[in-house]
Each structure stands twice: as structure tokens, then as C-alpha cells.
């Protein structure tokens, strides 16, 4: 897979913050304007469900619809501007070693898993539950969970117009990096899905790195 960079590659040792996110787990942190955040797929084929909120006003949050409309593209990759519900640029993707990321298929949930895979999976952990657990730490609720980005998730559009979820294309160490254009709250569900191939049927850990801006 081709690698796409809009900025020089920085060594992980230069990061201000280095977070390890276990398989199946939620995570959140604030990324300040001018800082960059890198999400690393440590073992490959791991979907990372992601949301962004304006750090000083959570009512302004990532908008998948506006992001797709502004880009005129079905996928997120280098150069994509992540647009908020107020039409503002939240972050810009500056590097992507995987090639493309989904922002149409949404997050798995216990309810959706039950419909798709049967009642025997009803109580398996899911991304929506991860999101609920994490946003409540910041005073939000399930009503604040909106359509998300699925970094490293391979969702081709079929000739029929339907979306498919197939084997991921990311390899060990692949990453996506974004420059924050405002202070943002990053919220992640390191996807626990084991009923479709979005994680290679084997959820694995990821790494989140935050780098200082050019002026530190």
C-alpha cells in the first residue's frame, strides 16, 4: 500500500504524550490547537472508532456528512479536513500510511450486533458502549455520540451502492496523523468487534501520540 505524507515524519520519541490503548478499550485526551495526534495500528487490521469534540464547547463536534461533502470523497486520507457540525475545520490529516479510512459505516453496538449476527452475541462488548463510557467522563451522554470515523477500517462501496466491511488493509505500525486546527477532545473506541473482519477477528492494542506544534 502506498504511503502518503504531507509533513515530515517525526520519531515517536519526540512525542509530548505517548498513550497505549489496550484491545477493546475506550480512550480520550485533549489535543490543543497546533499540536498533532498520531494514531498507530500496532499489529495491523485494527479498526479505531474515533470522535472529536470542540474542547471548550462539546455541542460542536465532528460531522461525517459535512466532511464527506466538503471533500467530495467517500474516504478520509492525507489532506482531508475534518469538519465540525458548525462548518469549522477541526483537524487536517497530514500523514497516512494506510491509504484510506471510513467515515460512513458508523460504530458497532450491542443492538446492531444482535440484528446482524444473532441473539447469542447480544452481550458482547461494542464501540457504542465504549463511547458511552468515555464521554460520560466529560459530562456528556449517549445522546452526544454522533457518526464517527473508523480509522484503518476497510469499507468498500459495492457497485450496488451498498457498503461492505472486509479485511483491513493496514499493516503493523501503520498510522494516521492529524494537525489540530482548534482545541479538540479526542474520543476513541479501540473496536472490540469479533463478528466481522474489521479487526481480523482479533482485536489488538493501538498507540496514540501527541506532538507539539512548530512553536512547541
Amino acid at each position: 500500500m502506498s504511503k502518503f505524507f504531507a509533513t515530515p515524519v517525526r520519531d515517536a520519541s519526540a512525542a509530548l504524550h505517548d498513550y497505549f490503548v489496550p484491545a477493546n478499550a475506550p480512550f480520550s485526551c485533549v489535543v490543543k490547537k497546533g499540536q498533532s495526534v498520531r494514531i498507530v495500528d500496532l499489529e495491523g487490521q485494527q479498526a479505531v472508532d474515533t470522535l472529536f469534540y470542540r474542547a471548550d464547547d462539546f455541542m460542536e463536534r465532528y460531522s461525517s456528512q459535512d466532511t464527506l461533502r466538503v471533500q467530495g470523497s467517500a474516504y478520509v486520507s492525507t489532506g482531508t479536513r475534518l469538519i465540525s457540525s458548525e462548518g469549522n475545520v477541526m483537524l487536517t490529516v497530514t500523514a497516512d500510511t494506510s491509504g484510506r479510512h471510513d467515515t460512513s459505516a458508523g460504530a458497532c453496538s450491542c443492538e446492531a450486533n444482535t440484528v446482524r449476527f444473532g441473539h447469542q452475541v447480544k452481550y458482547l462488548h461494542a464501540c457504542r458502549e465504549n463511547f458511552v463510557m468515555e464521554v460520560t467522563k466529560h459530562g456528556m451522554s449517549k445522546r452526544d455520540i454522533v457518526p464517527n470515523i473508523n480509522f484503518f477500517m476497510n469499507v468498500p462501496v459495492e457497485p450496488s451502492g451498498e457498503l461492505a466491511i472486509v479485511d483491513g488493509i493496514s499493516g503493523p505500525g501503520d498510522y494516521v496523523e492529524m494537525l489540530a486546527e482548534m482545541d479538540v477532545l479526542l474520543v476513541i473506541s479501540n473496536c472490540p468487534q469479533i463478528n466481522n473482519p474489521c479487526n481480523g477477528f482479533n482485536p489488538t492494542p493501538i498507540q496514540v501520540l501527541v506532538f507539539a506544534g512548530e512553536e512547541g
Side-chain angles (χ1 to χ4, degrees), residues 23 32 61 163:
K32 295 179 181 279
R61 65 277 305 263
L163 300 178

Side-chain angles (χ1 to χ4, degrees), residues 51-54 57-64 83-88 90 140 143-146:
L51 289 169
F52 295 101
Y53 300 84
R54 186 181 183 108
D57 181 4
F58 294 154
M59 290 302 294
E60 183 173 358
R61 65 277 305 263
Y62 173 71
S63 170
S64 60
I83 307 299
S84 78
S85 54
E86 299 300 317
N88 297 313
M90 304 188 80
M140 292 183 279
R143 298 172 70 93
D144 296 293
I145 298 169
V146 295

